[in-house]
Amino acid sequence: MTVNYETHEHDVLIIGAGGAGLRAALEAIAQGARVGLVCKSLLGKAHTVMAEGGIAAAMANVDKADDWRTHFCDTMRGGKFLNNWRMAQLHAQEAPDRVRELEQWGALFDRTPTGDILQRAFGGHTFKRLCHVGDRTGLELIRTLQDRGVQLGIDVFMECTVTRLLKDGDRIAGAFGYWREQGRFVAFKAKSIVIATGGIWQSLARHFEFLGVHRRRHGSSLRSRRRTDGHGICPVPSHRDGLAAGSAGTSRHRSRSRRGGILRNKLGERFMEKYDPKRMELSTRDVVARSIYTEVREGAVPNTAALSSTSPTSPLSM
């Protein structure tokens, strides 16, 4: 039986339209490539919109002693020196330019009294270096990148699910998928493919996701089926805290710690003093997650910890 399907051809095909996918598309267009962008949902509904914290960049707008070297050291220490050091170095060096780039494209960052981009503290960072837009940084990031992409004319294929990568000999040559609304098949030919699908949290038994069951780890399965190597893959940190709401739960924004929130167990003890007495609640998320788990396992916390602004009188279960 012959099945009819449509085909599209590009120099670069990007699967996933979150912050990483959109930024990759913009860079490919800047290099003169014909770019196609595939997303399972509507453009602008990627999980990036839920990123509330901010973008770490050593711009020294608040702490003048900050520089890329300190950011690099914080990144390596936070990754227990398992990081690809060269990627961490480039990240630390180029982050300020990427933030200024977003600003030039229309991102509206919070400001200091002198008009510079405001930066705030965050877990694992020596200095205040998080550039933010209130508590909706991810939403502003997606809006800015999406508008820029539309302006430059990216070919966007919305509500399309890629199920297979296609090979020509030993090389990836395209992708095969279907339109979610009609179920019709579609094939993409491409010289290069970027997988920017995220969604690896779906591999955990209990996860804290926000945007529905269609956020699956398809990108990981696409790569594994074709036995392709993954570059820049890093260990996945546990999100350190959340609200026990329903069967799946939800995330508790880390800004509560940044604004002076204190983690206490059921005895009223500020237990992070035992695990990271210097940074305490502003430690890296893997340290805080392990600390909470240790308290639960030892019975000091019944399945939740309490977060209060300055005292245990107004706790928030996590």
Side-chain angles (χ1 to χ4, degrees):
M1 181 178 67
T2 302
V3 179
N4 294 325
Y5 56 89
E6 60 184 286
T7 61
H8 301 274
E9 187 169 357
H10 300 87
D11 295 323
V12 179
L13 180 70
I14 297 170
I15 305 171
L22 282 167
R23 186 61 186 82
L26 294 177
E27 187 63 26
I29 282 186
Q31 300 301 321
R34 292 174 299 152
V35 178
L37 183 70
V38 181
C39 52
K40 286 190 292 185
S41 185
L42 299 174
L43 187 64
K45 287 191 66 178
H47 193 105
T48 304
V49 303
M50 301 304 300
E52 301 171 325
I55 305 170
M59 304 181 75
N61 292 342
V62 176
D63 288 323
K64 301 303 180 183
D66 197 12
D67 62 6
W68 75 264
R69 294 173 180 81
T70 308
H71 189 184
F72 171 69
C73 290
D74 288 343
T75 303
M76 293 302 296
R77 281 195 296 264
K80 304 299 183 287
F81 295 91
L82 298 173
N83 324 43
N84 180 315
W85 70 268
R86 180 56 175 160
M87 292 181 70
Q89 179 187 15
L90 291 173
H91 164 67
Q93 289 176 325
E94 296 184 8
D97 288 338
R98 299 290 77 79
V99 172
R100 296 186 189 100
E101 191 174 63
L102 288 169
E103 184 181 37
Q104 292 171 1
W105 291 345
L108 301 173
F109 290 100
D110 288 5
R111 298 285 168 176
T112 66
T114 59
D116 295 320
I117 294 176
L118 182 62
Q119 297 182 278
R120 60 189 179 190
F122 211 65
H125 293 280
T126 301
F127 297 107
K128 295 179 179 179
R129 65 167 66 105
L130 224 66
C131 308
H132 60 281
V133 185
D135 287 337
R136 58 183 189 282
T137 308
L139 181 61
E140 184 70 4
L141 176 67
I142 284 291
R143 182 197 66 79
T144 302
L145 295 176
Q146 175 182 302
D147 289 353
R148 180 69 174 175
V150 171
Q151 177 190 7
L152 296 180
I154 297 175
D155 291 334
V156 181
F157 302 90
M158 291 185 283
E159 297 189 303
C160 179
T161 297
V162 172
T163 58
R164 291 289 189 278
L165 297 178
L166 305 177
K167 297 184 74 172
D168 181 8
D170 293 332
R171 291 181 57 85
I172 297 295
F176 183 81
Y178 65 92
W179 297 107
R180 294 171 65 89
E181 184 178 358
Q182 306 96 349
R184 297 198 314 266
F185 296 133
V186 56
F188 298 94
K189 299 178 182 179
K191 299 175 184 176
S192 301
I193 292 182
V194 176
I195 299 177
T197 55
I200 196 170
W201 279 108
Q202 192 66 36
S203 62
L204 303 180
R206 183 175 178 86
H207 55 94
F208 297 102
E209 292 289 349
F210 303 89
L211 296 179
V213 296
H214 63 280
R215 289 329 189 247
R216 304 283 183 175
R217 53 191 180 102
H218 285 157
S220 300
S221 63
L222 288 174
R223 187 174 61 82
S224 62
R225 285 193 193 113
R226 285 304 185 184
R227 295 179 172 84
T228 57
D229 293 331
H231 297 281
I233 305 299
C234 62
V236 179
S238 297
H239 200 294
R240 46 188 226 158
D241 39 36
L243 294 173
S247 59
T250 186
S251 172
R252 180 202 61 79
H253 187 213
R254 297 185 74 188
S255 65
R256 293 187 181 274
S257 298
R258 189 174 59 245
R259 294 166 182 164
I262 295 172
L263 285 167
R264 300 181 186 274
N265 57 27
K266 68 179 182 181
L267 303 177
E269 300 169 338
R270 188 177 185 179
F271 58 84
M272 283 307 300
E273 293 177 342
K274 297 187 294 184
Y275 304 101
D276 191 342
K278 182 177 179 180
R279 296 180 296 187
M280 290 190 281
E281 288 80 14
L282 284 176
S283 184
T284 54
R285 62 171 53 176
D286 63 307
V287 173
V288 179
R290 279 199 306 271
S291 303
I292 293 173
Y293 178 72
T294 300
E295 293 291 305
V296 172
R297 188 177 57 186
E298 294 179 354
V301 182
N303 274 326
T304 61
L307 185 84
S308 60
S309 55
T310 54
S311 68
T313 57
S314 56
L316 174 68
S317 293
M318 298 197 317

